[in-house]
Amino acid sequence: MRFIAVKDLNALSKYVLKHHPQAEVDQSVSFKFSYDSYYLELIMDKKQEKPFNEWVISPHTKPCKLSKVSMNMFGRSDNDGLPDPPSCLVSVYAKDQHKADELLSYAVPLKGVVSLEEEVFIIRFLE
């Protein structure tokens, strides 16, 4: 799964349709950067309230950060625009289909935003 954050959602929609037409797109989440923050960080190692037995949630980069500058630059029409949106790739899978919880609901707090309680959730069902 890929977490993407950009300022221009219209440019992101066009990008996804062109480059990843089969992608499953979840809801959009609005946030505001805290005053002194230049990054949005996904906190992937928070202690979870709900069990996630036999599930693996593994970011491909640590820390999992997206820069404010990159989010603002994506979709710009001038030569300074970025060709791809800033993103964090995260592997999510059940290690053992027979032992894994049927539903994964994994909270990912956001660091660098005004609301200290802002979280997004990774929701997966066993296939």
Side-chain angles (χ1 to χ4, degrees):
M1 97 178 314
R2 187 175 301 273
F3 283 95
I4 299 174
V6 297
K7 186 175 184 177
D8 186 344
L9 286 178
N10 188 39
L12 179 60
S13 293
K14 290 177 184 177
Y15 173 87
V16 170
L17 286 173
K18 180 177 180 182
H19 297 283
H20 304 284
Q22 302 301 321
E24 177 185 326
V25 178
D26 205 339
Q27 72 183 55
S28 299
V29 176
S30 296
F31 63 89
K32 186 174 183 177
F33 280 99
S34 54
Y35 173 73
D36 59 347
S37 181
Y38 298 100
Y39 292 92
L40 170 66
E41 184 174 354
L42 303 167
I43 307 300
M44 302 299 293
D45 57 359
K46 177 193 177 212
K47 183 170 172 38
Q48 299 294 305
E49 293 177 17
K50 295 183 179 181
F52 60 101
N53 298 317
E54 296 298 319
W55 284 92
V56 174
I57 299 92
S58 180
H60 291 219
T61 58
K62 289 186 181 184
C64 198
K65 286 184 172 183
L66 305 171
S67 82
K68 183 178 183 179
V69 170
S70 295
M71 288 181 217
N72 290 340
M73 288 179 62
F74 175 75
R76 287 177 41 180
S77 59
D78 59 18
N79 290 336
D80 292 333
L82 298 175
D84 297 311
S87 64
C88 286
L89 189 58
V90 179
S91 290
V92 179
Y93 59 92
K95 283 192 289 190
D96 184 335
Q97 297 270 337
H98 302 291
K99 294 180 182 177
D101 294 325
E102 189 173 324
L103 171 66
L104 170 67
S105 178
Y106 191 87
V108 180
L110 303 178
K111 183 178 177 183
V113 298
V114 172
S115 172
L116 297 177
E117 298 177 10
E118 189 80 35
E119 294 179 327
V120 294
F121 287 85
I122 298 172
I123 307 291
R124 285 283 185 265
F125 293 93
L126 280 178
E127 295 181 1

